[in-house]
Amino acid sequence: ESTTIHWHGIHMPGTPYMDGAREVTQAPIGPGENFTYRFSAWPPGTHYYHSHMDAVQGARGIRGPFVIERADDPVVAEFDYDEDL
């Protein structure tokens, strides 16, 4: 079953073909094929990715959060946390 991965909230200046919109910016990745998404992770924040083939793949779990942290975030040092998931 083919797939692509689409990113919500990620800006793709200079790499619009990495957006993962099936048949718009990218051809589907076929079974047994490999594809590496390469783009600058920007802007900082909590974003979302999901399969861009059909709702069934998303229901099977090809979806999730995508967190980009600021390298110079002045607030991070003020808070402790248990673990990264």
Side-chain angles (χ1 to χ4, degrees):
E1 180 174 15
S2 297
T3 196
T4 63
I5 302 296
H6 178 65
W7 319 91
H8 284 256
I10 305 298
H11 300 192
M12 300 276 180
T15 55
Y17 44 87
M18 293 290 165
D19 188 45
R22 175 181 53 102
E23 302 297 350
V24 176
T25 60
Q26 178 185 356
I29 305 162
E33 295 179 340
N34 293 308
F35 185 85
T36 301
Y37 289 93
R38 295 182 190 276
F39 56 88
S40 295
W42 187 84
T46 302
H47 308 285
Y48 178 72
Y49 73 89
H50 64 92
S51 163
H52 216 256
M53 292 304 289
D54 59 36
V56 175
Q57 287 185 354
R60 290 181 185 158
I62 304 178
R63 60 186 163 84
F66 187 85
V67 178
I68 301 170
E69 296 179 356
R70 277 181 47 182
D72 60 346
D73 191 340
V75 178
V76 170
E78 294 182 33
F79 299 96
D80 291 327
Y81 58 91
D82 294 328
E83 62 184 301
D84 286 330
L85 299 177

Coordinates of all heavy atoms in Angstrom, one line a residue:
E1 N 0.8 -1.2 0.0 CA 0.0 0.0 0.0 C 0.9 1.2 0.0 O 1.8 1.4 0.8 CB -0.9 0.0 1.2 CG -1.8 1.1 1.4 CD -2.8 0.9 2.6 OE1 -2.5 0.0 3.4 OE2 -3.7 1.6 2.6
S2 N 0.7 2.1 -0.9 CA 1.5 3.4 -1.0 C 1.1 4.4 0.1 O 0.1 4.3 0.7 CB 1.2 4.0 -2.4 OG 1.7 3.2 -3.4
T3 N 2.0 5.3 0.3 CA 1.7 6.4 1.3 C 2.6 7.6 1.0 O 3.5 7.6 0.2 CB 2.0 5.9 2.7 OG1 1.4 6.7 3.6 CG2 3.4 5.7 3.0
T4 N 2.2 8.7 1.7 CA 3.1 9.9 1.8 C 2.8 10.4 3.2 O 1.8 10.0 3.8 CB 2.7 11.0 0.8 OG1 1.4 11.4 1.0 CG2 2.9 10.5 -0.7
I5 N 3.7 11.3 3.7 CA 3.5 11.9 5.0 C 3.3 13.4 4.8 O 4.2 14.0 4.1 CB 4.7 11.6 6.0 CG1 4.9 10.1 6.2 CG2 4.5 12.3 7.3 CD1 3.7 9.4 6.8
H6 N 2.2 13.9 5.3 CA 1.9 15.3 5.2 C 2.1 16.0 6.5 O 1.7 15.4 7.6 CB 0.5 15.5 4.6 CG 0.1 16.9 4.5 ND1 0.7 17.8 3.6 CD2 -0.9 17.6 5.2 CE1 0.1 19.0 3.8 NE2 -0.9 18.9 4.7
W7 N 2.6 17.2 6.5 CA 2.9 17.9 7.8 C 2.0 19.1 7.9 O 1.8 19.9 7.0 CB 4.4 18.4 7.7 CG 5.3 17.4 7.1 CD1 5.6 17.3 5.8 CD2 6.0 16.4 7.8 NE1 6.5 16.2 5.7 CE2 6.7 15.7 6.9 CE3 6.0 16.0 9.1 CZ2 7.5 14.6 7.2 CZ3 6.8 14.9 9.5 CH2 7.6 14.2 8.5
H8 N 1.4 19.3 9.1 CA 0.6 20.5 9.3 C 1.3 21.5 10.2 O 1.9 21.1 11.2 CB -0.7 20.1 10.1 CG -1.7 19.5 9.2 ND1 -2.8 20.1 8.7 CD2 -1.8 18.2 8.6 CE1 -3.5 19.3 7.9 NE2 -2.9 18.2 7.8
G9 N 1.4 22.7 9.8 CA 2.0 23.8 10.6 C 3.5 24.0 10.2 O 4.1 24.9 10.7
I10 N 4.1 23.1 9.4 CA 5.5 23.2 9.1 C 5.6 24.1 7.8 O 4.9 23.8 6.8 CB 6.2 21.8 8.8 CG1 6.0 20.9 10.0 CG2 7.6 22.0 8.5 CD1 6.6 21.4 11.3
H11 N 6.4 25.1 7.8 CA 6.6 25.9 6.7 C 7.7 25.3 5.8 O 8.7 24.9 6.4 CB 7.0 27.4 7.1 CG 6.0 28.0 7.9 ND1 6.0 29.4 8.2 CD2 4.9 27.6 8.5 CE1 5.0 29.7 8.9 NE2 4.3 28.6 9.2
M12 N 7.6 25.3 4.5 CA 8.5 24.6 3.6 C 9.1 25.6 2.6 O 9.2 25.2 1.4 CB 7.8 23.5 2.9 CG 7.2 22.4 3.8 SD 8.4 21.2 4.2 CE 7.5 20.1 5.2
P13 N 9.6 26.7 3.0 CA 10.2 27.6 2.0 C 11.5 26.9 1.3 O 12.3 26.4 2.1 CB 10.6 28.9 2.7 CG 10.7 28.4 4.2 CD 9.8 27.3 4.3
G14 N 11.5 26.9 0.0 CA 12.6 26.3 -0.6 C 12.5 24.8 -0.8 O 13.2 24.2 -1.6
T15 N 11.6 24.1 -0.1 CA 11.4 22.7 -0.3 C 9.9 22.3 -0.3 O 9.5 21.4 0.4 CB 12.1 21.9 0.9 OG1 11.6 22.4 2.1 CG2 13.6 22.0 0.8
P16 N 9.1 22.9 -1.2 CA 7.7 22.6 -1.2 C 7.4 21.2 -1.6 O 6.3 20.7 -1.2 CB 7.1 23.6 -2.2 CG 8.3 23.9 -3.1 CD 9.5 23.9 -2.2
Y17 N 8.3 20.5 -2.2 CA 8.1 19.1 -2.7 C 8.2 18.2 -1.5 O 8.1 17.0 -1.7 CB 9.0 18.8 -3.8 CG 10.4 19.3 -3.5 CD1 11.4 18.5 -2.8 CD2 10.8 20.5 -4.0 CE1 12.6 19.0 -2.5 CE2 12.1 21.0 -3.8 CZ 13.0 20.2 -3.0 OH 14.2 20.7 -2.7
M18 N 8.5 18.6 -0.3 CA 8.7 17.8 0.9 C 7.4 17.9 1.7 O 7.3 17.3 2.8 CB 9.9 18.2 1.7 CG 11.2 18.0 1.1 SD 11.5 16.2 1.0 CE 12.8 16.2 -0.2
D19 N 6.4 18.5 1.2 CA 5.1 18.7 2.0 C 4.3 17.4 2.1 O 3.4 17.3 2.9 CB 4.3 19.8 1.4 CG 3.1 20.2 2.2 OD1 3.3 20.3 3.4 OD2 2.0 20.3 1.6
G20 N 4.5 16.5 1.2 CA 3.8 15.2 1.3 C 2.4 15.1 0.9 O 1.7 14.2 1.1
A21 N 2.0 16.2 0.2 CA 0.6 16.2 -0.4 C 0.5 15.3 -1.6 O 1.1 15.6 -2.6 CB 0.1 17.6 -0.7
R22 N -0.1 14.1 -1.4 CA -0.1 13.1 -2.5 C -0.6 13.7 -3.8 O -1.7 14.3 -3.8 CB -1.0 11.9 -2.0 CG -1.2 10.8 -3.1 CD -2.1 9.8 -2.5 NE -3.3 10.3 -2.0 CZ -4.5 10.2 -2.6 NH1 -4.6 9.6 -3.8 NH2 -5.5 10.7 -2.0
E23 N 0.1 13.4 -4.9 CA -0.3 13.8 -6.2 C -0.3 15.3 -6.4 O -0.8 15.8 -7.5 CB -1.6 13.1 -6.7 CG -1.6 11.6 -6.6 CD -0.6 11.0 -7.6 OE1 0.0 11.6 -8.4 OE2 -0.4 9.7 -7.4
V24 N 0.1 16.1 -5.4 CA 0.2 17.5 -5.6 C 1.6 17.9 -5.5 O 2.1 18.5 -6.5 CB -0.6 18.3 -4.5 CG1 -0.5 19.8 -4.6 CG2 -2.1 17.8 -4.5
T25 N 2.3 17.6 -4.4 CA 3.7 18.0 -4.3 C 4.6 16.7 -4.3 O 5.8 16.8 -4.4 CB 4.0 18.7 -3.0 OG1 3.6 17.9 -1.9 CG2 3.3 20.0 -3.0
Q26 N 4.0 15.5 -4.3 CA 4.8 14.3 -4.2 C 4.0 13.1 -4.7 O 2.8 13.0 -4.5 CB 5.2 14.0 -2.7 CG 6.0 12.8 -2.5 CD 6.2 12.5 -1.1 OE1 5.9 13.3 -0.2 NE2 6.8 11.4 -0.8
A27 N 4.7 12.3 -5.5 CA 4.1 11.0 -5.9 C 4.1 10.0 -4.7 O 5.0 10.1 -3.8 CB 4.9 10.4 -7.0
P28 N 3.2 9.1 -4.6 CA 3.1 8.2 -3.5 C 4.4 7.3 -3.4 O 5.0 7.0 -4.4 CB 1.9 7.3 -3.8 CG 1.1 8.1 -4.7 CD 2.0 9.0 -5.5
I29 N 4.7 7.0 -2.2 CA 5.9 6.1 -1.9 C 5.3 4.7 -1.9 O 4.5 4.3 -1.1 CB 6.5 6.4 -0.6 CG1 6.9 7.9 -0.5 CG2 7.7 5.5 -0.3 CD1 7.2 8.3 0.9
G30 N 5.8 3.9 -2.9 CA 5.2 2.5 -3.0 C 5.8 1.5 -2.0 O 6.8 1.8 -1.4
P31 N 5.1 0.4 -1.9 CA 5.6 -0.7 -1.0 C 7.0 -1.1 -1.3 O 7.3 -1.2 -2.5 CB 4.6 -1.8 -1.2 CG 3.4 -1.2 -1.8 CD 3.9 0.0 -2.6
G32 N 7.9 -1.2 -0.3 CA 9.2 -1.5 -0.5 C 10.1 -0.4 -1.0 O 11.4 -0.6 -1.1
E33 N 9.6 0.8 -1.2 CA 10.4 1.9 -1.6 C 10.8 2.7 -0.4 O 10.1 2.6 0.6 CB 9.6 2.8 -2.6 CG 9.3 2.2 -3.9 CD 8.5 3.1 -4.8 OE1 7.9 4.1 -4.4 OE2 8.5 2.8 -6.0
N34 N 11.8 3.5 -0.5 CA 12.3 4.4 0.5 C 12.2 5.9 0.1 O 12.4 6.2 -1.1 CB 13.7 4.1 0.9 CG 13.9 2.8 1.5 OD1 13.2 2.4 2.5 ND2 14.8 2.0 1.0
F35 N 11.9 6.8 1.0 CA 11.9 8.2 0.8 C 12.3 8.9 2.0 O 11.8 8.6 3.1 CB 10.6 8.7 0.3 CG 10.6 10.1 -0.1 CD1 11.0 10.5 -1.4 CD2 10.2 11.1 0.8 CE1 11.0 11.8 -1.8 CE2 10.2 12.5 0.4 CZ 10.6 12.8 -0.8
T36 N 13.3 9.8 2.0 CA 13.7 10.6 3.1 C 13.2 12.0 3.0 O 13.5 12.7 2.0 CB 15.2 10.6 3.3 OG1 15.6 9.2 3.5 CG2 15.6 11.4 4.5
Y37 N 12.4 12.5 3.9 CA 12.0 13.9 3.9 C 13.1 14.7 4.5 O 13.6 14.5 5.5 CB 10.7 14.1 4.7 CG 9.5 13.4 4.1 CD1 9.1 12.2 4.4 CD2 8.7 14.2 3.2 CE1 8.0 11.6 3.8 CE2 7.6 13.6 2.6 CZ 7.2 12.3 2.9 OH 6.1 11.8 2.3
R38 N 13.5 15.8 3.7 CA 14.6 16.7 4.1 C 14.0 18.1 4.0 O 13.7 18.6 2.9 CB 15.8 16.5 3.3 CG 16.4 15.1 3.5 CD 17.7 15.0 2.6 NE 18.2 13.7 2.6 CZ 19.0 13.1 3.5 NH1 19.3 13.8 4.6 NH2 19.4 11.9 3.4
F39 N 13.9 18.8 5.2 CA 13.5 20.2 5.2 C 13.9 20.8 6.5 O 14.3 20.1 7.5 CB 12.0 20.2 5.1 CG 11.2 19.5 6.1 CD1 10.9 20.0 7.3 CD2 10.8 18.1 5.8 CE1 10.2 19.3 8.3 CE2 10.1 17.4 6.8 CZ 9.8 18.0 8.0
S40 N 13.9 22.1 6.5 CA 14.3 22.8 7.8 C 13.0 22.8 8.7 O 11.9 23.2 8.2 CB 14.6 24.3 7.5 OG 15.8 24.3 6.7
A41 N 13.2 22.3 9.9 CA 12.1 22.2 10.8 C 11.8 23.6 11.4 O 12.5 24.1 12.3 CB 12.4 21.2 11.9
W42 N 10.8 24.2 10.9 CA 10.4 25.6 11.3 C 8.9 25.8 11.0 O 8.4 25.3 10.1 CB 11.3 26.6 10.5 CG 11.1 28.0 11.0 CD1 11.7 28.6 12.1 CD2 10.2 28.9 10.5 NE1 11.3 29.8 12.2 CE2 10.3 30.1 11.3 CE3 9.3 28.9 9.5 CZ2 9.6 31.2 11.0 CZ3 8.5 30.1 9.2 CH2 8.7 31.2 10.0
P43 N 8.3 26.5 11.8 CA 8.6 27.3 13.0 C 8.5 26.4 14.3 O 7.9 25.3 14.3 CB 7.5 28.4 13.1 CG 6.3 27.7 12.5 CD 6.9 26.8 11.4
P44 N 9.1 26.9 15.4 CA 9.0 26.1 16.7 C 7.6 26.0 17.1 O 6.7 26.8 16.8 CB 9.8 27.0 17.7 CG 10.7 27.8 16.8 CD 9.9 28.1 15.5
G45 N 7.3 24.9 17.7 CA 5.9 24.7 18.2 C 5.5 23.2 18.1 O 6.3 22.4 17.7
T46 N 4.3 22.9 18.4 CA 3.7 21.6 18.3 C 2.9 21.5 17.0 O 2.0 22.3 16.8 CB 2.8 21.2 19.5 OG1 3.6 21.4 20.7 CG2 2.3 19.8 19.4
H47 N 3.3 20.5 16.2 CA 2.6 20.4 14.9 C 2.1 18.9 14.8 O 2.1 18.2 15.7 CB 3.7 20.7 13.8 CG 4.3 22.0 14.0 ND1 3.7 23.2 13.7 CD2 5.6 22.3 14.4 CE1 4.5 24.2 14.0 NE2 5.6 23.7 14.4
Y48 N 1.6 18.6 13.6 CA 1.0 17.3 13.4 C 1.4 16.7 12.0 O 1.5 17.5 11.0 CB -0.5 17.5 13.4 CG -1.4 16.3 13.2 CD1 -1.5 15.4 14.1 CD2 -2.1 16.2 12.0 CE1 -2.4 14.3 13.9 CE2 -3.0 15.1 11.8 CZ -3.1 14.2 12.8 OH -3.9 13.1 12.6
Y49 N 1.6 15.4 12.0 CA 1.9 14.7 10.7 C 0.9 13.6 10.5 O 0.3 13.1 11.5 CB 3.3 14.2 10.6 CG 3.6 13.0 11.4 CD1 3.3 11.7 10.9 CD2 4.0 13.1 12.7 CE1 3.5 10.6 11.7 CE2 4.2 12.0 13.5 CZ 4.0 10.7 13.0 OH 4.2 9.6 13.8
H50 N 0.6 13.2 9.3 CA -0.3 12.1 9.0 C -0.1 11.6 7.6 O 0.4 12.3 6.8 CB -1.8 12.5 9.2 CG -2.3 13.5 8.3 ND1 -2.9 13.2 7.1 CD2 -2.2 14.9 8.3 CE1 -3.2 14.3 6.4 NE2 -2.8 15.3 7.2
S51 N -0.5 10.3 7.4 CA -0.5 9.8 6.1 C -1.4 10.6 5.2 O -2.5 11.0 5.6 CB -1.0 8.3 6.2 OG -1.4 7.9 4.9
H52 N -1.0 10.7 4.0 CA -1.9 11.5 3.1 C -2.4 10.7 1.9 O -2.6 11.1 0.8 CB -1.0 12.7 2.5 CG -1.8 14.0 2.3 ND1 -2.3 14.4 1.1 CD2 -2.3 14.9 3.2 CE1 -3.0 15.5 1.2 NE2 -3.0 15.8 2.5
M53 N -2.7 9.4 2.2 CA -3.3 8.5 1.2 C -4.8 8.3 1.5 O -5.6 8.5 0.6 CB -2.6 7.1 1.3 CG -1.2 7.2 0.8 SD -1.0 7.9 -0.8 CE -1.7 6.6 -1.8
D54 N -5.2 7.9 2.7 CA -6.6 7.8 3.0 C -6.8 7.8 4.5 O -5.8 7.7 5.2 CB -7.2 6.5 2.4 CG -6.4 5.2 2.8 OD1 -6.0 5.2 4.0 OD2 -6.3 4.3 2.0
A55 N -8.0 7.8 4.9 CA -8.3 7.9 6.4 C -7.9 6.6 7.1 O -7.7 6.6 8.3 CB -9.8 8.2 6.6
V56 N -7.9 5.5 6.4 CA -7.6 4.2 7.0 C -6.2 4.2 7.5 O -5.9 3.7 8.6 CB -7.9 3.0 6.0 CG1 -7.4 1.7 6.6 CG2 -9.3 3.0 5.6
Q57 N -5.2 4.7 6.8 CA -3.9 4.7 7.3 C -3.7 5.5 8.5 O -3.0 5.2 9.4 CB -2.9 5.2 6.2 CG -2.7 4.2 5.1 CD -1.7 4.7 4.1 OE1 -1.2 5.8 4.1 NE2 -1.3 3.8 3.1
G58 N -4.4 6.6 8.6 CA -4.4 7.5 9.8 C -5.0 6.7 11.0 O -4.5 6.8 12.1
A59 N -6.1 6.0 10.7 CA -6.7 5.2 11.8 C -5.8 4.1 12.3 O -5.9 3.7 13.4 CB -8.0 4.6 11.3
R60 N -4.9 3.6 11.4 CA -4.0 2.5 11.8 C -2.8 3.1 12.6 O -1.9 2.4 13.0 CB -3.5 1.8 10.5 CG -4.5 1.0 9.8 CD -3.9 0.3 8.6 NE -4.8 -0.4 7.9 CZ -4.7 -0.7 6.6 NH1 -3.6 -0.4 5.9 NH2 -5.6 -1.4 6.0
G61 N -2.7 4.4 12.7 CA -1.6 5.0 13.5 C -0.6 5.8 12.7 O 0.4 6.2 13.3
I62 N -0.7 6.0 11.4 CA 0.3 6.7 10.7 C -0.1 8.2 10.8 O -0.6 8.9 9.9 CB 0.3 6.3 9.2 CG1 0.6 4.8 9.1 CG2 1.5 7.1 8.5 CD1 0.6 4.3 7.7
R63 N 0.1 8.7 12.1 CA -0.2 10.1 12.4 C 0.4 10.4 13.8 O 0.7 9.4 14.5 CB -1.7 10.3 12.5 CG -2.4 9.5 13.5 CD -3.9 9.6 13.4 NE -4.6 8.5 14.0 CZ -4.8 8.4 15.3 NH1 -4.4 9.4 16.1 NH2 -5.4 7.4 15.8
G64 N 0.7 11.6 14.1 CA 1.2 11.9 15.4 C 1.7 13.3 15.5 O 1.7 14.1 14.6
P65 N 2.2 13.7 16.7 CA 2.7 15.0 17.0 C 4.1 15.2 16.4 O 4.9 14.2 16.3 CB 2.7 15.2 18.5 CG 2.9 13.8 18.9 CD 2.2 12.9 17.9
F66 N 4.5 16.4 16.1 CA 5.8 16.8 15.6 C 6.2 18.0 16.4 O 5.6 19.1 16.1 CB 5.7 17.0 14.1 CG 7.0 17.2 13.5 CD1 7.8 16.1 13.1 CD2 7.5 18.4 13.2 CE1 9.0 16.3 12.4 CE2 8.7 18.6 12.5 CZ 9.5 17.5 12.1
V67 N 7.1 17.9 17.3 CA 7.5 19.1 18.2 C 8.8 19.6 17.8 O 9.8 18.9 17.6 CB 7.5 18.6 19.7 CG1 7.9 19.8 20.5 CG2 6.2 18.1 20.1
I68 N 8.8 20.9 17.5 CA 10.1 21.6 17.2 C 10.4 22.6 18.3 O 9.6 23.5 18.6 CB 9.9 22.4 15.9 CG1 9.6 21.5 14.7 CG2 11.2 23.2 15.6 CD1 9.2 22.2 13.4
E69 N 11.5 22.4 19.0 CA 11.9 23.3 20.1 C 12.8 24.4 19.6 O 13.6 24.2 18.7 CB 12.6 22.5 21.2 CG 11.7 21.4 21.8 CD 12.4 20.6 22.9 OE1 13.6 20.8 23.1 OE2 11.7 19.8 23.5
R70 N 12.7 25.6 20.2 CA 13.6 26.7 19.9 C 14.9 26.4 20.5 O 15.0 26.0 21.7 CB 13.1 28.0 20.6 CG 12.0 28.7 19.8 CD 11.6 30.0 20.5 NE 12.7 30.8 21.0 CZ 12.5 31.9 21.6 NH1 11.3 32.3 21.9 NH2 13.5 32.6 22.0
A71 N 16.0 26.6 19.7 CA 17.3 26.3 20.2 C 17.7 27.3 21.3 O 18.4 27.0 22.3 CB 18.3 26.4 19.1
D72 N 17.1 28.5 21.3 CA 17.5 29.5 22.3 C 16.3 29.9 23.2 O 16.2 31.0 23.6 CB 18.0 30.8 21.6 CG 16.9 31.4 20.6 OD1 15.9 30.7 20.3 OD2 17.1 32.5 20.2
D73 N 15.5 28.9 23.5 CA 14.3 29.2 24.3 C 14.6 29.6 25.8 O 15.2 28.7 26.5 CB 13.4 28.0 24.3 CG 12.0 28.3 24.9 OD1 11.8 29.3 25.6 OD2 11.1 27.5 24.6
P74 N 14.4 30.8 26.2 CA 14.8 31.2 27.5 C 13.9 30.6 28.6 O 14.3 30.6 29.8 CB 14.6 32.7 27.5 CG 13.5 32.9 26.5 CD 13.7 31.8 25.4
V75 N 12.8 30.0 28.3 CA 11.9 29.4 29.3 C 12.2 28.0 29.7 O 12.0 27.6 30.8 CB 10.4 29.5 28.8 CG1 9.4 28.9 29.8 CG2 10.0 31.0 28.5
V76 N 12.9 27.3 28.8 CA 13.2 25.9 29.0 C 13.9 25.6 30.3 O 13.6 24.7 31.1 CB 13.9 25.3 27.8 CG1 14.5 23.9 28.1 CG2 13.0 25.2 26.6
A77 N 14.9 26.5 30.6 CA 15.7 26.3 31.8 C 14.9 26.4 33.1 O 15.3 26.0 34.2 CB 16.9 27.2 31.8
E78 N 13.8 27.1 33.0 CA 13.0 27.4 34.2 C 12.1 26.2 34.7 O 11.7 26.1 35.8 CB 12.1 28.5 34.0 CG 12.8 29.9 33.8 CD 11.8 31.0 33.6 OE1 10.7 31.0 34.2 OE2 12.2 31.9 32.9
F79 N 11.9 25.2 33.8 CA 11.0 24.1 34.1 C 11.7 22.7 34.0 O 12.4 22.5 33.1 CB 9.8 24.1 33.2 CG 9.0 25.4 33.3 CD1 9.2 26.4 32.4 CD2 8.1 25.5 34.3 CE1 8.5 27.6 32.5 CE2 7.3 26.7 34.4 CZ 7.5 27.7 33.6
D80 N 11.4 21.8 35.0 CA 11.9 20.5 34.9 C 10.7 19.6 34.3 O 9.5 20.0 34.4 CB 12.2 19.9 36.3 CG 13.4 20.6 36.9 OD1 14.3 20.9 36.1 OD2 13.5 20.8 38.1
Y81 N 11.0 18.5 33.7 CA 10.0 17.6 33.2 C 10.5 16.2 33.4 O 11.7 15.9 33.7 CB 9.7 17.9 31.8 CG 10.9 17.8 30.9 CD1 11.2 16.6 30.2 CD2 11.7 18.9 30.6 CE1 12.3 16.5 29.4 CE2 12.8 18.8 29.7 CZ 13.1 17.6 29.2 OH 14.1 17.5 28.3
D82 N 9.6 15.2 33.4 CA 9.9 13.8 33.6 C 10.6 13.1 32.5 O 11.6 12.5 32.7 CB 8.6 13.0 34.0 CG 8.0 13.5 35.3 OD1 8.7 13.9 36.2 OD2 6.8 13.4 35.4
E83 N 10.1 13.3 31.3 CA 10.7 12.6 30.2 C 10.2 13.1 28.8 O 9.1 13.7 28.8 CB 10.5 11.1 30.2 CG 9.0 10.7 30.2 CD 8.7 9.2 30.4 OE1 9.3 8.5 29.6 OE2 8.0 8.9 31.3
D84 N 11.0 12.9 27.8 CA 10.5 13.1 26.4 C 9.8 11.8 25.9 O 10.3 10.8 26.1 CB 11.7 13.4 25.5 CG 12.2 14.8 25.7 OD1 11.5 15.7 26.1 OD2 13.4 15.0 25.5
L85 N 8.7 12.0 25.3 CA 8.0 10.8 24.7 C 8.2 10.8 23.3 O 8.3 11.7 22.6 CB 6.6 10.8 25.1 CG 6.2 10.8 26.5 CD1 4.7 11.0 26.7 CD2 6.7 9.6 27.2

